[in-house]
Amino acid sequence: MTHTLRLLLALCFLLVLPACPDDDDDSTVTDDDDTSVGDDDDTADDDDTTDDDDSGSDDDDSGSDDDDSGSDDDDSGSDDDDSGDDDDSGDDDDSGPADGDGDGDPADTDCDDTDPALNSLDEDGDGETSCDGDCDDSHAGIFPGNTAICDSIPDSDCDGVVEPDESDDDLDFQNECDGDCDDTDDTIYGNAPEICDGLDNDCDTIVPAGETDDDGDGQSECEGDCDDTDINNFDGNVEVCDGADNDCDTVIPATEIDDDTDGQSECEGDCDDTDINNFDGNVEVCDGADNDCDTVIPATEIDDDTDGQSECEGDCDDTDIDNFDGNPEVCDGADNDCDLAADNGVLGSGSACAADSCLDILNSSSSNGDDVYTLADITGAPYDAWCDMTRNLGGWTLVASVVNDGSRAWATFDVWTDVTTFGDVANRDVADYKNIGFSDVDGADLLIVTDEYAYSFDVVLGDQDFASFMASEYDDTQCSSTFLASGADWSEGLSADQEALQSLVVRGWDNNCNCFPGCNENSILSMQLSYCCWVNGLGNASAGQPTWSAHDNSLMQVSAMVPESCSAGAYPCNDNGLWVATGNNCYDTSCKTTYGQIYVR
């Protein structure tokens, strides 16, 4: 039955009700019968003399308050129904069909007149009654066949099933169809405020980046992870030596910062993070610092004598503050400037820095040219010596001067081999002179200097002092015809032939007499030999020809020294095949030089 048809039947019932016979024979249609018995008896609640007076206003049979057709006192109502307790003669239905369940729907239209919940009345006007299956006839949006929409009504189509997406399972006042993307969590629903839980609280399908644990360290940015790209950095983590803020306290420990940009921090082993040259494993350099951070500064980098320079910087004596590289050299016998030469630049300038030889002075860059310098003997005692710093590369030490001064100081063998000294260096050109260097200064080269010329023999002395050389070559049993040198290696003031005829023989043999010192025309240091009877040199024999024996120097003047060819190596002809022409010799000093000086180097 349609909803409209039910309404028309109900209206018809109401319209025909007054024309029907009434058990209350009262001449009135609507109100209580004055003669009826029961709940509607005129002597009781519905007495005409009281509230139910037929003529009264409150109980007027035609009035609204007590009208027999009204809901409160209608004979057809449940409380005052004429067919119930107040039925005068049995069924006593004096107004129409009975309503057994009192739901306002008469039995002839009510699908179940015993159940007030079921009737044919469409109370909510949705076109469906409870008899039709309307499960909530008080709500127009609930009826059978209704389309389920998201309206917060659990069962809008009355199929007995609550729509899953319409139930607010998590009691957050929003169901799934209203936008709740997770109805099991009351913190998640449409437009909910985002909180730091890694979930899509506002159901916009996006979990905020700050809530995502990107690095898998168990903590997101909103939870305190200050670097969500590194699993080692999160709030509360323990700091490790990596130069990062591991515990997210916004502070990187100072020991993790590479302050000097050498690629290493203190916690990694940098023992001095203020110097780029110092870090663990670095190579040691000469700077006085612990470059490799092994807690040890090499001894050579330490300036022990506090002169501002360490050994590796050039200090050759780090126990003496006066000796370091670049220091000015002073006369103290030490290598002040560390150029590997003591007193260089000042060597030989005084007794405090006496040299061993003139060659040492030259080699130490202390030479001021040909001059008198201070030397020291083997005992360290200083003495003055003349140094020739210009001839044949220089470095020559004068040890003796043989002068024809009439003293005959060089006429004995002993004077040529002992340690005696005589004369003065200042008078070396005019008087015999012999210093301690004669027996003290070692040398290999021999230089002979006269007042007219000079010449030298290289490596003829055997690297010994001159006295030792003479002693080793002197044969006290016989004269010598052995040339220790034939021809000079260098000369000054001589011709090439004159240089070539210079020879060296110790105690040279003279064929017309015996040997130095007891025979005529002999010398102990024989150098300019002639055929038959002439061995000119130094240290003339003390006996024999009176004029010859009157002087010690018989070296010939340049003009008298005329080379003459001879049979090479046939004594007295030297190995170069030269000797002095015999006719140019003389016994006196007329063909002799003034002096002959002996230098060693």
Side-chain angles (χ1 to χ4, degrees):
M1 181 183 295
T2 64
H3 180 64
T4 302
L5 181 57
R6 290 191 182 98
L7 291 177
L8 290 175
L9 290 174
L11 180 60
C12 179
F13 176 78
L14 291 175
L15 291 174
V16 301
L17 184 60
C20 297
D22 193 340
D23 290 342
D24 275 342
D25 189 10
D26 187 62
S27 73
T28 60
V29 176
T30 61
D31 211 351
D32 297 338
D33 188 349
D34 292 340
T35 62
S36 62
V37 181
D39 290 338
D40 202 37
D41 190 275
D42 292 335
T43 60
D45 292 337
D46 207 26
D47 190 354
D48 294 335
T49 60
T50 57
D51 291 338
D52 207 3
D53 188 353
D54 292 339
S55 62
S57 62
D58 291 337
D59 202 25
D60 187 0
D61 291 340
S62 62
S64 62
D65 291 338
D66 204 19
D67 189 349
D68 290 341
S69 64
S71 60
D72 290 341
D73 204 19
D74 190 347
D75 290 341
S76 64
S78 60
D79 291 338
D80 203 20
D81 189 354
D82 292 339
S83 63
D85 293 338
D86 203 18
D87 189 356
D88 292 333
S89 60
D91 291 339
D92 200 20
D93 185 359
D94 54 6
S95 61
D99 181 8
D101 54 12
D103 58 5
D105 188 10
D108 58 349
T109 60
D110 194 333
C111 62
D112 186 351
D113 204 31
T114 64
D115 187 350
L118 296 175
N119 55 67
S120 60
L121 305 176
D122 183 13
E123 297 179 6
D124 52 13
D126 58 8
E128 297 292 337
T129 67
S130 56
C131 285
D132 294 328
D134 193 332
C135 54
D136 185 354
D137 206 28
S138 64
H139 196 302
I142 301 174
F143 53 88
N146 190 17
T147 301
I149 60 173
C150 185
D151 53 6
S152 300
I153 300 175
D155 185 16
S156 58
D157 58 1
C158 291
D159 63 355
V161 178
V162 176
E163 303 299 331
D165 59 352
E166 292 189 44
S167 61
D168 182 15
D169 299 323
D170 54 12
L171 305 179
D172 58 8
F173 302 103
Q174 190 177 86
N175 52 37
E176 293 177 62
C177 68
D178 283 330
D180 193 330
C181 54
D182 184 354
D183 208 28
T184 65
D185 191 325
D186 62 0
T187 64
I188 300 174
Y189 53 89
N191 295 319
E194 278 291 343
I195 59 176
C196 182
D197 57 3
L199 303 174
D200 180 16
N201 302 109
D202 58 4
C203 292
D204 63 354
T205 73
I206 298 172
V207 177
E211 295 183 40
T212 305
D213 179 18
D214 299 317
D215 54 15
D217 58 12
Q219 192 176 89
S220 63
E221 291 176 66
C222 67
E223 291 173 316
D225 194 330
C226 55
D227 181 1
D228 210 25
T229 64
D230 192 325
I231 196 172
N232 297 307
N233 303 334
F234 55 89
D235 184 31
N237 193 23
V238 178
E239 277 291 341
V240 295
C241 181
D242 61 359
D245 183 13
N246 306 117
D247 58 4
C248 290
D249 63 353
T250 73
V251 178
I252 297 175
T255 57
E256 294 184 41
I257 299 174
D258 180 17
D259 298 313
D260 55 12
T261 68
D262 58 11
Q264 193 176 88
S265 64
E266 291 175 68
C267 66
E268 291 174 315
D270 195 330
C271 54
D272 181 1
D273 210 26
T274 63
D275 193 326
I276 197 172
N277 297 308
N278 303 333
F279 55 88
D280 184 32
N282 193 22
V283 177
E284 277 291 341
V285 295
C286 181
D287 60 1
D290 183 13
N291 306 117
D292 58 4
C293 289
D294 65 352
T295 72
V296 178
I297 298 176
T300 57
E301 294 184 40
I302 300 173
D303 180 18
D304 298 314
D305 55 11
T306 67
D307 57 10
Q309 193 176 86
S310 64
E311 291 177 67
C312 66
E313 291 173 315
D315 195 330
C316 55
D317 182 0
D318 210 27
T319 64
D320 192 327
I321 196 172
D322 295 319
N323 303 332
F324 56 89
D325 184 33
N327 192 31
E329 195 70 43
V330 296
C331 184
D332 60 359
D335 183 12
N336 307 116
D337 58 4
C338 289
D339 64 352
L340 305 180
D343 296 326
N344 55 314
V346 294
L347 188 64
S349 63
S351 59
C353 53
D356 291 335
S357 69
C358 295
L359 182 60
D360 289 343
I361 295 173
L362 180 68
N363 290 339
S364 69
S365 302
S366 302
S367 171
N368 295 316
D370 299 343
D371 205 346
V372 174
Y373 294 85
T374 302
L375 303 183
D377 64 18
I378 194 171
T379 68
Y383 66 97
D384 289 339
W386 179 263
C387 295
D388 189 321
M389 298 298 192
T390 55
R391 287 188 175 96
N392 189 18
L393 304 178
W396 298 99
T397 302
L398 175 65
V399 296
S401 183
V402 181
V403 182
N404 289 326
D405 59 359
S407 67
R408 299 310 315 274
W410 295 101
T412 66
F413 170 73
D414 289 341
V415 75
W416 288 93
T417 57
D418 63 19
V419 296
T420 60
T421 62
F422 48 82
D424 185 273
V425 67
N427 299 321
R428 63 192 178 280
D429 295 340
V430 296
D432 289 333
Y433 168 68
K434 177 188 177 187
N435 62 31
I436 193 64
F438 190 90
S439 60
D440 187 78
V441 177
D442 292 339
D445 303 336
L446 173 64
L447 172 68
I448 302 298
V449 177
T450 73
D451 52 313
E452 290 188 353
Y453 56 87
Y455 58 91
S456 66
F457 303 104
D458 294 343
V459 198
V460 72
L461 301 180
D463 199 19
Q464 57 188 327
D465 62 76
F466 195 74
S468 296
F469 165 75
M470 292 299 292
S472 66
E473 295 296 334
Y474 186 87
D475 187 346
D476 61 358
T477 63
Q478 61 181 352
C479 299
S480 175
S481 59
T482 301
F483 289 99
L484 299 178
S486 291
D489 295 300
W490 171 90
S491 67
E492 176 183 85
L494 297 177
S495 67
D497 285 344
Q498 288 175 323
E499 177 182 300
L501 69 80
Q502 306 302 320
S503 301
L504 182 61
V505 181
V506 174
R507 201 184 186 197
W509 177 70
D510 182 354
N511 61 356
N512 73 347
C513 190
N514 204 342
C515 310
F516 174 87
C519 195
N520 189 29
E521 301 171 15
N522 290 116
S523 61
I524 192 169
L525 197 60
S526 307
M527 290 178 280
Q528 298 166 356
L529 284 64
S530 295
Y531 172 72
C532 183
C533 317
W534 298 94
V535 283
N536 300 298
L538 298 176
N540 292 341
S542 56
Q545 182 66 35
T547 54
W548 175 273
S549 61
H551 51 264
D552 292 322
N553 171 32
S554 58
L555 291 176
M556 301 181 72
Q557 294 175 2
V558 172
S559 60
M561 190 191 318
V562 178
E564 186 176 74
S565 297
C566 54
S567 297
Y571 188 87
C573 184
N574 71 11
D575 294 340
N576 291 327
L578 293 171
W579 57 26
V580 177
T582 302
N584 290 352
N585 288 288
C586 66
Y587 287 106
D588 58 20
T589 59
S590 60
C591 69
K592 314 297 183 189
T593 61
T594 302
Y595 59 81
Q597 297 174 344
I598 301 172
Y599 291 81
V600 299
R601 181 182 69 185

